[in-house]
């Protein structure tokens, strides 16, 4: 039986909020977020693969990776034909979310804007749909009557801005700010009048600000115009959000645990890579007629009988193999499939910019990074320039590298790390302290942390590790520091701390020095957090329990088991 750690849990999701902006550049400008950082634990939160809004948020609230969910982006293949991809909806989510588990335990939830949540599904509590809802004429709330309450409060509820790529930046900025203010007003209202144990909202405005305005604040951006009226727009938006967060903190009681998270971060966009133009040049994609203007892939006349692969555009590239026995006019024999994928991977990762300079492209094979691969994943996921370049599926013009605003270059693309902050509301009133930075946090750590905080057992299918607030971390560290460290055998007065490096390795900090355990298979057991999907992998255990070496440290004589390792792993 789990002990409930808090009375309520408030989770504020800021889509695309970036750790470099929040923790490094602007924290002093964000007093409410800074209070939470100083009172609790915080750090960069490794996203999923790919670090894209839809798979990231649903992976976070289910504790399952995108392969297990069968959701690989905003759009996915619905069959093995050559038709365009289908936009994900809530009907594509077959796994339970944290609010489903909480509802089964008799707890009430309020959920606002979590992707993908349209069409709305019943929830024990209240739900407002996400930013791809068709409009306010649709059934966008559960229960249905909630929509009348929302519209009476704020008028038209704004799910999203109409066109965040518009050149009318002044109007766009005004619309994003108004959307955000209205959503937070609805959240504050429901916080006050609804019974809830778990409250979660996702604000899409941070994402829209990065896409629409990053180029105005980053001198290294290809579209940076120099001094301009929007140079401070992103920072001012973060300040606005911080003030709105402060209003929510005034509403919740002292027994509430507060989390602020984002699904991924952001970085400047350097250009677009025309994936299908590259495939044509390499001879893998054959057209019956080359277009005389840039044309979406769905409008091209493809000679499928001679085509071996085709691609789709987006913030990352998706490449599909025309496989015999799967696609209607497949050309690649199954015996050649793996070799062909390896060949494509090598060629794409070697693709540089227009001058041939390396850009750091990374190609992902789904079967290598997910525990399971469901539905119809792309055969390869391509992160051009480590996501500094986005993918274009259009053909026409003959160029592979596109750099101009007329080519669809935006302010920002996504980055691998979002933010994680957690603190208890009652700790915000105390004296100023230094927050507890954490390393090795991963997206799927959020779901088990929510469940344990509210005293609900975590199902075995929910991955990730539980993140504990600052007080629990400190108590456990003091206990280990005053006795023998069961993992590294550090004794007596030598203080021991626990943590993980950015790569996920378990570390011990003894007398202020971080010592990374480097023991080999026959000497040491390490719990590694796989940076791709968050799975914990166990290496071999010591052959003897007396004198197994662990770098410069020593093992104790006590018996070492998987159970005790898991128990120790949860100490940080």
């Amino acid at each position: 039986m789990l002990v409930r750690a808090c009375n309520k849990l408030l989770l504020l999701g800021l889509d695309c909020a970036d750790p470099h902006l929040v923790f490094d550049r602007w924290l002093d400008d964000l007093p409410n977020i800074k209070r939470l950082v100083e009172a609790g634990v915080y750090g960069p939160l490794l996203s999923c693969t790919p670090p894209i809004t839809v798979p990231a948020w649903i992976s976070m609230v289910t504790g399952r990776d995108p392969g297990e969910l069968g959701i690989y982006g905003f759009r996915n293949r619905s069959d093995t034909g050559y038709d365009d991809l289908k936009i994900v909806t809530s009907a594509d989510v077959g796994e339970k979310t944290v609010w489903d588990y909480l509802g089964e335990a008799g707890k009430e939830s309020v959920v606002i804007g979590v992707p993908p949540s349209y069409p709305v599904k019943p929830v024990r509590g209240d739900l407002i749909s996400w930013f791809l809802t068709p409009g306010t004429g649709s059934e966008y709330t559960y229960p249905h009557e909630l929509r009348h309450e929302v519209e009476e409060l704020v008028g038209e509820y704004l799910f999203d801005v109409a066109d965040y790529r518009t050149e009318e930046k002044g109007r766009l900025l005004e619309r994003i700010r108004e959307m955000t203010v209205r959503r937070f007003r609805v959240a504050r209202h429901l916080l006050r009048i609804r019974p809830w144990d778990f409250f979660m909202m996702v604000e899409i405005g941070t994402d829209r600000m990065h896409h629409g305005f990053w180029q105005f604040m980053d001198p290294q951006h290809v579209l940076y115009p120099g001094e301009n009226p929007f140079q401070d727009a992103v920072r001012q938006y973060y300040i606005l959000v911080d003030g709105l967060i402060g209003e929510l903190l005034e509403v919740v009681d002292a027994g509430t645990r507060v989390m602020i998270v984002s699904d991924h971060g952001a970085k400047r966009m350097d250009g677009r890579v025309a994936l299908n133009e590259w495939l044509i040049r390499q001879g893998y994609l054959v057209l019956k007629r080359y277009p005389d203007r840039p044309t979406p892939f769905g409008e091209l006349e493809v000679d499928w009988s001679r085509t071996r692969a085709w691609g789709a555009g987006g913030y990352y590239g998706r490449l599909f193999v025309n496989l015999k026995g799967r696609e209607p006019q497949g050309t690649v024999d199954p015996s050649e499939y793996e070799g062909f994928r390896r060949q494509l991977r090598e060629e794409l990762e070697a693709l540089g910019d227009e001058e041939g300079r390396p850009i750091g492209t990374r190609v992902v094979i789904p079967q290598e990074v997910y525990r399971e691969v469901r539905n119809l994943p792309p055969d390869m996921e391509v992160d051009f320039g480590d996501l500094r370049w986005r993918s274009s599926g259009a053909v026409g013009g003959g160029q592979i590298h596109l750099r101009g605003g007329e080519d669809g270059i935006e302010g920002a693309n996504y980055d691998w790390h979002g933010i994680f902050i957690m603190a208890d509301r009652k700790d915000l009133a105390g004296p100023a302290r230094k927050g507890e930075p954490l390393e090795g946090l991963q997206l799927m750590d959020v779901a088990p942390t929510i469940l344990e905080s509210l005293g609900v057992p975590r199902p075995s299918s929910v991955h990730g590790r539980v993140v504990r607030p600052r007080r629990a971390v400190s108590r456990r560290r003091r206990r280990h520091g005053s006795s023998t460290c069961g993992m590294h055998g550090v004794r007596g007065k030598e203080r021991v701390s626990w943590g993980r490096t950015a790569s996920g390795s378990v570390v011990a900090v003894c007398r202020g020095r971080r010592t990374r355990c480097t023991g080999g298979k026959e000497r040491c057991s390490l719990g590694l957090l796989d940076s791709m999907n968050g799975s914990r992998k166990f290496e071999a255990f010591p052959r003897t329990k007396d004198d197994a070496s662990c770098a410069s440290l020593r093992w104790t004589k006590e018996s070492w088991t998987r159970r005790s390792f898991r128990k120790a792993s949860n100490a940080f």
Side-chain angles (χ1 to χ4, degrees), residues 533-548:
N533 59 30
S535 63
R536 185 170 288 119
K537 298 181 178 179
F538 291 91
E539 300 290 344
F541 291 90
R543 289 187 174 179
T544 67
K545 59 184 179 181
D546 293 343
D547 196 26

Side-chain angles (χ1 to χ4, degrees), residues 70-78 84-88 318:
I71 297 175
Y72 304 96
F74 277 93
R75 299 175 298 142
N76 293 270
R77 294 185 80 180
S78 57
D84 205 0
L85 306 178
K86 171 180 170 289
I87 294 177
V88 172
R318 280 157 289 189

Side-chain angles (χ1 to χ4, degrees), residues 129-343:
S129 187
W130 68 314
F131 61 87
L132 287 187
T133 300
T136 54
S138 60
E139 297 286 342
Y140 69 90
T141 66
Y142 181 88
H144 171 72
E145 295 74 24
L146 176 60
R147 63 180 295 174
H148 304 303
E149 189 175 343
V150 169
E151 290 166 6
E152 183 177 336
L153 183 69
V154 298
E156 180 188 8
Y157 182 78
L158 302 177
F159 300 100
D160 197 0
V161 289
D163 181 11
Y164 58 86
R165 298 182 177 97
T166 181
E167 291 302 313
E168 299 180 19
K169 297 301 182 182
R171 184 174 179 277
L172 174 63
L173 180 59
E174 179 182 341
R175 198 63 170 164
I176 292 174
R177 293 173 69 93
E178 179 62 27
M179 171 186 69
T180 301
V181 169
R182 292 190 192 187
R183 189 158 15 257
F184 271 85
R185 186 178 178 190
V186 170
R188 190 170 188 270
H189 171 74
L190 295 178
L191 276 171
R192 296 179 65 181
I193 70 167
R194 285 294 194 275
W196 58 274
D197 298 283
F198 174 63
F199 193 109
M200 178 176 182
M201 69 167 287
V202 172
E203 176 53 59
I204 192 63
T206 26
D207 178 274
R208 300 320 190 209
M209 287 298 299
H210 293 159
H211 287 305
F213 293 93
W214 193 284
Q215 67 272 34
F216 298 108
M217 72 171 186
D218 188 347
Q220 295 184 346
H221 198 285
V222 65
L223 300 181
Y224 179 66
E227 292 291 327
N228 65 87
F230 302 111
Q231 191 147 353
D232 201 36
V234 178
R235 187 181 71 91
Q236 289 297 329
Y237 176 80
Y238 272 79
I239 292 172
L240 169 68
V241 170
D242 181 79
L244 296 171
I245 289 173
E247 293 179 6
L248 299 188
L249 294 178
E250 292 176 0
V251 174
V252 299
D253 60 37
T256 302
R257 179 163 292 172
V258 181
M259 296 172 65
I260 300 180
V261 299
S262 63
D263 51 335
H264 51 71
K267 61 172 66 171
R268 74 171 188 273
M269 185 181 293
D270 287 345
R272 288 164 62 106
V273 174
L275 178 55
N276 285 316
E277 288 280 8
W278 179 83
L279 289 168
I280 290 171
R281 188 172 297 184
Q282 299 298 110
Y284 300 133
L285 172 60
V286 180
L287 303 183
K288 295 178 181 178
R289 186 182 67 84
Y290 189 85
D292 54 8
R293 57 180 176 79
T295 303
F297 183 79
E299 300 175 17
L300 298 174
E301 297 181 46
V302 179
D303 186 347
W304 292 109
S305 66
R306 299 166 60 199
T307 289
R308 304 187 73 197
W310 78 100
Y315 293 113
Y316 77 104
R318 280 157 289 189
L319 194 147
F320 305 98
V321 173
N322 195 19
L323 186 64
K324 286 182 181 179
R326 187 181 68 182
E327 275 70 33
Q329 301 179 54
T331 59
V332 177
D333 192 272
S335 64
E336 302 172 347
Y337 176 68
E338 292 299 341
F340 184 48
R341 282 206 298 185
R342 286 194 298 271
Q343 178 181 335

Side-chain angles (χ1 to χ4, degrees), residues 23 60 172 202 206 250 253 255 268 284 314 321 378 403 429 447 456 467 484 488 511 523:
F23 298 142
M60 182 189 295
L172 174 63
V202 172
T206 26
E250 292 176 0
D253 60 37
R268 74 171 188 273
Y284 300 133
V321 173
R403 292 265 195 178
V456 175
V467 183
T484 299
H488 290 94
R511 290 181 172 173
R523 297 182 298 165

Side-chain angles (χ1 to χ4, degrees), residues 45-48 440-446 529-530 532-534:
L45 184 70
L46 180 64
S47 189
C48 62
L441 296 170
Q442 204 272 341
L443 199 76
M444 286 182 288
D445 295 340
V446 174
L529 188 68
D530 185 342
M532 296 300 298
N533 59 30

